[in-house]
Structures are given as structure tokens and as C-alpha cells.
Amino acid sequence: MRMHKLKVLLSLSKPFRRHDSSFLSNRYCRQFSALPSYAQVDYLQEQVLVEGRAKSRAAILNRPSALNALTPSMAGRLNRLYESWEENSDIGFVMMKGNGRTFCSGADVVTLYELINEGNIEECKKFFQTLYKFVYLLGTYLKPNVAILDGITMGSGAGISLPGMFRVVTDRTVFSYPEAQIGFHPDAGASYYLSRLPGYLGKFNKILLIRRFLCGATLASARIFRTRTYIAAKDAHVGFLPVNNCQRNYTLNYGEYLALTGEKLNGVEMIACGLATHYSLKERLPWMEERLGKLITDDRLVIENSLAQYGDLVYPDSRSVLHKFEKIDKCFSQDTVEEIMEALEREAAESHDEWCNKALNKIKEASPLSLKVALKSIREGRFQPLDQCLVREYRISVNWVSKRVSNDFSEGVRARLVDKDFAPKWAPTQLEEVTTHMVDSFFIPLDDLEPELNLATTIREPSM
């Protein structure tokens, strides 16, 4: 009997070894008919662990071998946990962190790739529905929430952390949106957050990039709201910056740069951009978490002060891409991807700056169709609230996984994460082959047979 059980367990473990080096597939969990139902539940729960504290709860992403890539079951569990914690009056605030050297590397796109190849598009849609609903839940959450972004934070990993009230980064943090390089688009709220990053601030004091690099020690609060960004520092005079007036007062092109190139930021640069609220050396995180665990409060100022106690004053070094903000604004403020590339080529010829060539090469590696879709999405997101951004991103994602216009998403995942030949065959192959009709088809409302993303806006934001 024992030998029979051992053989069964060994046979069940074989599917997991297919993608141990990259991403594990959630499909295999659903195929474990040999396991009792409670064993399946236990395994799925282990992907998101929970730590209970005096007045708080912490969700721990627990797929370290897969860089904590999000599966459908993880997104669903996060939704359920955060909804129950919000309703529980005994819980004052919540936290999220990752197990291992990664916070979250984004969605488990290898699983999505396999589902697409099997024709199981509905499972892909359910994943995006669940994920985007969780992002919206975080963006409208009633209790203080803290995300500790220690390690790799990419794509959807940013989406499940940026809506939080407090975002703690460390000297190990690596942040990026590499979706265009795999034939997809920055999603999970990316068009909302990236579109609101600062660019060249014109006549304004260069609050975020020059005059004052905000950090945990000086930050009183930083919260991105639906229609405007409010940033207040104890020693910097900063007020409301209405999104509607962005173009008149200053441009916001840094998000376009990150989306089209997939460029990485470190923790210090995230602080300077306003993407993070606090910076701490990784060695101090245990002390910070211990301090937070002892808090019996739901007061965000008390939580902020506790985070600041273990924060560090930081400034981007001379090699930081943030010092290229004038060139970024000059080049990425152009109307089209083609014009952006032409501006980079001119800047490279005039300044002989290697940064221009590096940015050009990264753009050339990406899917031409993805580049144009991403640029349009971010620029539409600049003047839309979070819920509308998520609805639009869902339409785009459905079009990608359904292959209605192009197979670039599957091809990008194959080339970079499955076969790893790093030679994707994009279709269309050139920017000039991408028509306006092709791009616009990603943005039109879904037909009657394809329901739109349904967010609980009337419940969570009745005033809107």
C-alpha cells in the first residue's frame, strides 16, 4: 500500500518539472484527481500564506521557485482574503510581501501560453477578470495596506502593489514593465499609474526628480487618487497636481519610456518617481515587520511613522536614468512610436549618448503592434480613473489571448520563456505595417457575446 502511494505521488510530481526553471502551471493543480479535495485546497492555499498579528494580517506570495508569478488561484485567494479582512473590524491594516528573492514577477504567462495553445481562452479571461478586480479592490481599499517590494517586481506584480497606501522598496528591488518585449501590454492598472509618472516639470520646481527626492524619512503621505495626485512632504511645498492640467503645466512622458523600453528601476529610483513611499535596506526589514506586527491601530499616520523609523534617506546616483529626464521628455513626448524612435536617433547623433542607442535597441526588440497598443493605452489612461483603465486593459488582454489581430503574445512567450531562442517572429514585423485599424480594434467595446469587465464601482465608489 505504501509503495503504491509513493508511485502515485512520484507520477504526480512529473508535470511540475516541466517548468521548474521558469513558471509553474496552475493547470496541473486542477488535474490532480488522485489527490483528495482537501489536499488540492491545501496546496492552493500554500501559494498565498497568511500571517496573523495583533491588529493586522499579512498575505505572503509563496511560489519562490516561480518568482512568485501569479496564478488564477492566487489572484482568487488574494481577492477573498482582502475582502474578508476589510470587513473584519478586528483588523486595522493589511500587508503583502513575497517569499524568497522576489516580490512578484507578474502573471504566470507560461500557464496562459499553454491555455491559449489548448484553446482554453475562457480560463485566460477568468484570470484577467479576477486579477483586475483585485487591483480595483486595492485601489479603493478602506484600510491602510502596506506592500513590501523586496526583490523583483514586474508587470502584474506592480499592479497588485502600487494601489496600496504604502509601498516599501529596498536595495534589492528591481521594477519594470517588460510586456511589450513579450508581445503583450502593460496591464493590471499600469496605464493608470505609468501615465501619471512625472516627466520634465517645465517651469515648476523639479519636485520629484531634482529639488527633492522624496524618501521614507521625509514623506508624510503619497497616495494616487482617481483624478489627481497628492504628494505632501514635511519639508517640500507640494500640493494637488490636477491631472486635467498636466499638459498645460508639464508633461508626463516617463511612463511611456518605461512601457516601451521595459527599462528597470531600482528602489531608489522608485522613491524618486513617487512609485514607492519608503526605502529600507533589506537587513532592516525584519525589524520593520516586527514593529508593524506589534501595532494595534488602523491609523495610517501611526503606520507611516513606524515605517519611517526604519527608512533611509536616499538619492539616485549619477548613473541613474532619472538624470536623463530632459531627453526622455524630449523624445517620448512625440505623438507616435515612429516619431519617438526618430527623436532618439537624432538625439543619439547629436549627443553621442549611449543611452539613446540602448533605448532604441530595446524598442526594436519589442512587438511593433504591442508598442503602438501600449502607447495608446497609457495616453488614454492619463485622463481616466482607475476603473476605466482596468476595463480598457481587459479589452486589450482579451484581444491578445484570443489572437483576434495577432499571435504576438503567444509568440513572445514562446521565444523568451518557453523555447528561449529569443528570436520572436512578430506579425506585423515592422511598425509601418501596423495600421490604425489594427490598434483601434484592441480598444473598441467587446461585443454582446463577450461581457465587459464588471467592477463593483457602484458599491465601492457610489459617489462616482
Side-chain angles (χ1 to χ4, degrees), residues 49-346:
L49 302 176
V50 174
E51 282 184 358
R53 294 158 184 194
K55 189 69 175 179
S56 64
R57 297 292 184 274
I60 306 171
L61 307 179
N62 189 39
R63 297 182 71 210
S65 62
L67 302 181
N68 294 330
L70 292 170
T71 64
S73 59
M74 291 172 71
R77 179 160 164 78
L78 286 170
N79 257 312
R80 293 189 295 272
L81 288 173
Y82 272 66
E83 285 177 350
S84 65
W85 293 343
E86 188 178 46
E87 296 170 358
N88 190 337
S89 59
D90 293 330
I91 297 175
F93 67 97
V94 299
M95 295 174 54
M96 186 187 300
K97 61 182 182 178
N99 187 15
R101 61 189 177 92
T102 302
F103 171 69
C104 178
S105 62
D108 188 343
V109 293
V110 170
T111 291
L112 296 176
Y113 166 83
E114 293 171 344
L115 289 171
I116 292 170
N117 286 346
E118 294 172 358
N120 197 348
I121 308 302
E122 292 304 314
E123 282 294 313
C124 298
K125 295 175 185 176
K126 289 178 183 178
F127 168 69
F128 289 120
Q129 290 171 5
T130 307
L131 174 62
Y132 297 172
K133 286 179 180 179
F134 179 63
V135 173
Y136 180 68
L137 174 66
L138 279 181
T140 57
Y141 211 63
L142 300 179
K143 295 181 179 180
N145 49 94
V146 181
I148 300 178
L149 313 182
D150 181 34
I152 297 171
T153 304
M154 298 167 58
S156 299
I160 63 171
S161 57
L162 293 183
M165 185 176 292
F166 302 110
R167 288 91 62 197
V168 181
V169 292
T170 74
D171 48 325
R172 291 201 307 182
T173 302
V174 178
F175 173 92
S176 71
Y177 276 101
E179 282 82 357
Q181 279 66 35
I182 61 168
F184 201 56
H185 69 114
D187 69 329
S191 65
Y192 181 79
Y193 297 104
L194 289 182
S195 66
R196 284 155 175 79
L197 289 183
Y200 179 58
L201 301 185
K203 294 184 293 184
F204 280 2
N205 291 326
K206 298 171 179 58
I207 298 165
L208 294 179
L209 300 181
I210 294 182
R211 200 186 93 177
R212 173 61 62 184
F213 291 103
L214 297 180
C215 64
T218 62
L219 191 66
S221 64
R223 187 78 187 272
I224 300 178
F225 291 90
R226 289 177 57 91
T227 56
R228 51 188 175 179
T229 302
Y230 177 71
I231 302 173
K234 296 177 181 178
D235 57 351
H237 300 290
V238 187
F240 284 106
L241 304 178
V243 171
N244 292 338
N245 296 328
C246 284
Q247 294 299 330
R248 184 173 66 224
N249 294 327
Y250 60 90
T251 54
L252 298 163
N253 301 303
Y254 202 69
E256 282 95 326
Y257 166 67
L258 293 178
L260 300 185
T261 65
E263 182 62 74
K264 299 180 180 66
L265 298 182
N266 58 35
V268 177
E269 291 166 333
M270 290 183 68
I271 287 288
C273 288
L275 286 167
T277 60
H278 296 79
Y279 182 94
S280 174
L281 295 175
K282 63 179 182 296
E283 289 82 8
R284 296 185 183 180
L285 285 181
W287 303 339
M288 179 184 287
E289 292 184 42
E290 182 180 5
R291 170 65 176 164
L292 292 173
K294 293 178 180 179
L295 294 180
I296 304 178
T297 184
D298 58 1
D299 189 333
R300 68 177 184 85
L301 292 179
V302 175
I303 298 168
E304 194 282 328
N305 289 333
S306 298
L307 292 171
Q309 288 180 11
Y310 299 96
D312 294 278
L313 185 65
V314 290
Y315 300 90
D317 62 33
S318 60
R319 297 168 297 175
S320 172
V321 70
L322 296 187
H323 296 291
K324 307 286 186 184
F325 64 89
E326 290 184 341
K327 292 181 179 179
I328 289 173
D329 186 71
K330 179 180 178 181
C331 296
F332 286 83
S333 61
Q334 305 300 317
D335 292 337
T336 67
V337 178
E338 291 93 335
E339 291 173 350
I340 288 173
M341 296 183 70
E342 290 172 2
L344 285 168
E345 290 170 351
R346 286 195 303 270

